[in-house]
Amino acid sequence: KLRITDSAHKGNRALPNGQHIDLMVGIGPADLAEDKIPFSKTEFLSDAFYELDFKAEDKGKAVYYQACYENSSHEKSPLSPVVSVIIM
């Protein structure tokens, strides 16, 4: 599970209306250079929790996440650092 938090509004699970997080997801070998990560899916999150189911053949690979915030005027924040974990 990936949880997105807002330190200014503790306990609130939803973003304000019209705002969301663009979450890019990629699966591939571990320790890829950032420009080699195969981001193949973008999720638009408006809630604090996100679950992704993996296929059995992905076990041992890395899942990479990168995100940015988008407001109701479609203005985007800078991209976050890439975060990765090994799929178990």
Side-chain angles (χ1 to χ4, degrees):
K1 286 184 183 182
L2 178 67
R3 182 170 185 196
I4 298 164
T5 61
D6 177 357
S7 60
H9 299 95
K10 293 192 185 291
N12 186 1
R13 293 182 52 180
L15 292 171
N17 193 27
Q19 301 177 31
H20 62 269
I21 302 295
D22 296 347
L23 179 68
M24 284 67 76
V25 181
I27 297 174
D31 301 319
L32 287 176
E34 195 167 313
D35 63 337
K36 303 292 185 199
I37 297 171
F39 288 113
S40 59
K41 183 178 191 176
T42 301
E43 297 287 341
F44 301 100
L45 311 178
S46 59
D47 190 55
F49 294 97
Y50 172 71
E51 287 190 37
L52 178 63
D53 293 320
F54 300 102
K55 298 175 184 172
E57 61 263 22
D58 291 333
K59 185 176 180 178
K61 294 180 183 176
V63 59
Y64 296 91
Y65 298 102
Q66 189 170 41
C68 73
Y69 166 80
E70 186 171 337
N71 67 20
S72 58
S73 299
H74 304 291
E75 299 168 318
K76 293 185 177 186
S77 72
L79 288 171
S80 72
V82 173
V83 175
S84 66
V85 294
I86 300 298
I87 300 167
M88 305 301 257

